[in-house]
Amino acid sequence: MTRIYSPWRLAFVALTLFVFLMPPVWLFLSSLKSQQEIFQWPPTIFPAQPTLQNFIDTVSRAKFLIFFRNSAVVSVLSALLSVTISVMAGYALAKFRFKGDTLFFLLIMSSLMVPLQIVMIPVFLVLRDLNLLDTLAGIIIAPAATPTGVFLMRQYITNIPDSLLEAARLDGTPEWRILWRIIVPLAIPAIGTLLAFNLVWRWNDYLWPFLIISDQDKWTVQVALANTVGRFGINWPRLLSMSVLSVLPVLVMFTALQRMLMSGLMAGATKE
């Protein structure tokens, strides 16, 4: 009989944890070092004289709060817009039958096979014609509709019993109220999962802000991080401290939504 906690399994788990945890731990500990200690050889894991001066300089001198605010606005609004579109599209594809509904769904899914580089130029031209270049609205609107979100919501809403919707329709309930009062509460796990992933995607997005934004006061955190790497040198203390601060919101969000994420990802995996 194989023991659950065998020495080999414990060793494998410990090695896996070390591989995944070492980079962020090294990043955080290095952000507490001075410029001289970062380049010390042989390198040290723990700082000899930990200091928060790197974080103080980043927040006070590097316009980090402006970049942080821009990323927060873009992430939250873009994620909410994407979830709203995905819920409405998923509801329509899951609970309404119309001519060509399957073909329409397959067309949405086929867009997953289209490389981003192909649609970059057309979307850029559309944003230019709408005067949305060099604006936060351009970053928010461009990636709002995602086929992944539509697929996730359609698959989840399909499992909601039609009898609930039919009973509401017999009572004369309009479709928008059915969506808001029945579908949304029952699909909270999937909505929370999609919202969390969209927040992370938009927070870590670099390409669209880099292409659209030229005004430094409208940079996001990721664009600011990339511009910390200069042509003739890199301000490593500032880069490390900005990296740590940029990771914290994602870490807090995933910690807070961990249970909802797991329930949303596992939904539909088993059937009674």
Side-chain angles (χ1 to χ4, degrees), residues 57 72 85 90 94 100 141 145 152 155 172-173 195 209 212 224 235:
D57 293 341
I85 294 175
I141 295 175
L152 176 63
Q155 296 304 107
T173 307
L195 180 64
I212 296 174
N235 190 334

Side-chain angles (χ1 to χ4, degrees), residues 30-87:
S30 298
S31 66
L32 301 177
K33 299 178 181 179
S34 61
Q35 178 84 1
Q36 295 75 18
E37 192 174 358
I38 290 176
F39 292 97
Q40 178 181 335
W41 187 263
T44 59
I45 297 179
F46 298 96
Q49 296 179 345
T51 176
L52 295 176
Q53 190 61 42
N54 296 334
F55 294 93
I56 297 174
D57 293 341
T58 296
V59 173
S60 60
R61 301 178 186 176
K63 295 185 179 180
F64 182 80
L65 294 180
I66 296 178
F67 305 147
F68 193 94
R69 180 201 63 191
N70 294 339
S71 288
V73 170
V74 169
S75 301
V76 173
L77 294 183
S78 183
L80 291 176
L81 180 60
S82 179
V83 169
T84 302
I85 294 175
S86 299
V87 170

